[in-house]
Every structure is written in C-alpha cells, then in structure tokens.
Amino acid sequence: MASKELEENLSELQIGGNGEKKPVENDVSEGEVKVSCFTEDLQDVTLHFQIVKFSKQIYAWIGCNSAKLGHLYAAATTRPNNNVSVTSLLGGTSDNTGSSIARRIVLKTGLNVVVACNIPKDSPMLEATAERKLIERLASLGYFSPKEKYRN
Amino acid sequence: MEMSSNNLSPTEFPVLHKSFSLNIKGNKTDIVICKYNDSFMVMATQIGCMGTILHARKEESVSTDPTFHVAVIFGKRDEPFLVACARQLIEHISSYGSTRPLVLSLGLKDHSPGTMKEIIYAVMENRLW
C-alpha cells in the first residue's frame, strides 16, 4: 500500500547525522530511486562505481583509486536526429576522460546519463575497462536491454 | 595516479550515501545524499530525473566571514529559489566546519519557497557532514 510505504520512508528520516557505510555490492531501493555501489579490483588499480537510477535518467560515478567526485558530464540523445550530445558540467574540458564514457553509454544504451569520473587522462585502457564494467552492470541491473542496442 | 588517503577495509565502499523518500505537498520526493572525498552531492527529484544541477562552493577569505559562490551548471537559470536552496545548504555545510563544495540537483514540480524549505530541512536532518 502506498501509505504504508510512505510511513516507512518517513520514519527513516529520523536517521541520525552519521552516514551509513554501505558494503560493496549493496543495492538500496527507496521508492523509484535505486542506488547501486560496487568495486572492481584490477591489477594495479581499484575502480569504484556508483549508479543512481532515476526513472528517466541514470547518474553514474566512477572512482579510480579515490573517492573524489571528479569531472561531471551530461549526455543524452538530442533532437532532431537523436544524435548523442555530451557536455561538460564541472571541470574536464580538456581531458575528456569521462565525456567519451558518457557519450558511449548513451550510444549503447539510449539512456539519459550524468557521469562523474575521476579517471586520470591518458589512460585509454583504464577508461575502456571502466566503461565496459559499467555497461555490464547497467545491463545486469536491467536498466537497458543489450539486445536492443541503440544505434545512432 | 592518486591513491586514496583512507585505509578502507575491502568491504567498505569509499563513498557514503543516504537515500530516502518523503512527501512534499503531495509530490513524492526522492533524495539521495552522497559524500565524496572532495565534495558533497545532493539529488532531490520529483520528476524522475536530476533536473537542474547547481554547484556551490565556499570561498575562504583571510578576513572575516566566508563568501559563497553558487552557480547553475545545468538546467533552469531563471529560478531564484533553486539558487537560494543551494546557498542555504552550502552555508549549512560551512557551519559544520566543512569546506567541501556541493553539487545539488533539484528536479522539482514546483519551485515554491515552501517546497524548498521542506527539502532543506530533510537534507539537513539526513546530512552526511
């Protein structure tokens, strides 16, 4: 019942000021917004991923060894031909590490995305790995169907 | 490459977050608050997407009170209450001793001061700073 869910959600507002430490691979769903966090350990680098799913948009954060926010990009299909457009919102105008990830996510999934990424520039292999892991997770969470690849 | 300065156990995700939902004037509002190493992210939505994104930071001057800089980086630039909301929150963050900037996203159906206040109270009660 909607009212019970609302009461449960409202009672959770009484949480105190300390943040909750979420374990890796935890999915938290509150209403329609879902937050997923996971970590991938590569040989010399640890990649952290956080995916927040809204009903019409996805926010994704990719952390390379650190928990800094990094550069913020928004990407989506735009009129008139559904071409993919990407824009830098915070920082990152010259190295574009996150912008190409954001753009390719929209190309492959058709989702409207905001991506925050702190992968250092000049790391194409790392960037490709991060993008692949993120898209795999988006597919496994059911946020898009890999068979219906969005073609530009 | 930068190494994280925190020694985290393998099972802890380095980004703290809190996610909850509340009803504001009949509109279901989902709020997600995240704490990164160098900033805070607050997302409040009633419309299923992030909406307008603002960036607020504190500029520490040598003399007396700090000043704050708030800018819309995506979305509506003609809604003063969105800017006021960000301004209120960055000052609140500053009052708790943090100098980290704030990225605030507000996807709202109405931009009335009453809604802003409810969101600000909810975020303050569930703050991660």
Side-chain angles (χ1 to χ4, degrees), chain A residues 57 59 70-75 86-93 99 113-116, chain B residues 41 50-55 71-75 77 103-105:
Chain A
Q57 193 170 39
Y59 164 78
H71 301 144
L72 195 62
Y73 302 90
V86 59
T87 181
S88 159
L89 303 180
L90 271 185
T93 46
S99 75
V113 297
V114 172
V115 172
Chain B
M41 164 85 73
M50 289 175 72
T52 301
I53 306 178
L54 302 101
H55 180 64
V72 175
I73 58 176
F74 189 80
R77 294 169 195 273
V103 176
L104 171 67
S105 89

Side-chain angles (χ1 to χ4, degrees), chain B residues 47-83:
Chain B
I47 57 176
C49 63
M50 289 175 72
T52 301
I53 306 178
L54 302 101
H55 180 64
R57 66 173 194 271
K58 174 180 173 179
E59 287 165 358
E60 197 92 47
S61 56
V62 179
S63 51
T64 49
D65 302 321
T67 53
F68 303 98
H69 177 83
V70 180
V72 175
I73 58 176
F74 189 80
K76 292 181 187 285
R77 294 169 195 273
D78 55 355
E79 285 285 352
F81 283 114
L82 298 178
V83 178

Side-chain angles (χ1 to χ4, degrees), chain A residues 85-149:
Chain A
S85 298
V86 59
T87 181
S88 159
L89 303 180
L90 271 185
T93 46
S94 56
D95 61 13
N96 293 331
T97 310
S99 75
S100 44
I101 292 178
R103 188 170 174 277
R104 280 196 292 269
I105 290 175
V106 179
L107 273 173
K108 289 184 184 176
T109 68
L111 299 166
N112 187 335
V113 297
V114 172
V115 172
C117 175
N118 69 10
I119 294 177
K121 58 182 177 178
D122 302 328
S123 318
M125 290 305 299
L126 190 52
E127 187 185 326
T129 305
E131 181 193 318
R132 188 180 71 245
K133 298 282 183 193
L134 184 58
I135 291 185
E136 276 170 14
R137 182 54 65 111
L138 289 173
S140 74
L141 287 169
Y143 295 163
F144 79 100
S145 171
K147 289 180 186 174
E148 298 165 12
K149 276 188 184 176

Side-chain angles (χ1 to χ4, degrees), chain A residues 6 9-10 12-13 15-24 30-33 35 37-39 45 48-50 52 54-57 59 61 64-65 67-69 74 89-90 114 120 126, chain B residues 1-4 8 10-23 28 30 32 34 36-39 41 43 45 47-51 53 55 73-74 103 122 125-128:
Chain A
L6 182 59
N9 287 337
L10 283 175
E12 289 184 41
L13 283 183
I15 296 171
N18 290 329
E20 299 166 355
K21 297 216 170 185
K22 303 283 181 185
V24 175
E30 297 284 347
E32 293 172 3
V33 172
V35 183
C37 303
F38 64 102
T39 297
V45 152
H48 303 288
F49 297 86
Q50 181 186 44
V52 180
F54 302 97
S55 52
K56 297 180 202 170
Q57 193 170 39
Y59 164 78
W61 170 76
C64 172
N65 286 335
K68 292 191 170 186
L69 180 65
L89 303 180
L90 271 185
V114 172
L126 190 52
Chain B
M1 287 182 195
E2 282 184 77
M3 300 299 290
S4 171
L8 295 171
T11 53
E12 280 182 11
F13 194 72
V15 173
L16 299 181
H17 76 273
K18 199 179 282 190
S19 164
F20 57 95
S21 187
L22 67 154
N23 189 307
K28 178 173 182 282
D30 297 301
V32 178
C34 303
Y36 298 95
N37 267 0
D38 59 345
S39 59
M41 164 85 73
M43 297 182 268
T45 180
I47 57 176
C49 63
M50 289 175 72
I53 306 178
H55 180 64
I73 58 176
F74 189 80
V103 176
E125 279 181 17
N126 291 279
R127 64 183 180 275
L128 292 177

Side-chain angles (χ1 to χ4, degrees), chain B residues 85-101:
Chain B
C85 187
R87 174 70 173 75
Q88 190 108 359
L89 286 174
I90 189 67
E91 189 162 2
H92 193 257
I93 292 173
S94 173
S95 72
Y96 276 78
S98 178
T99 56
R100 293 180 196 182

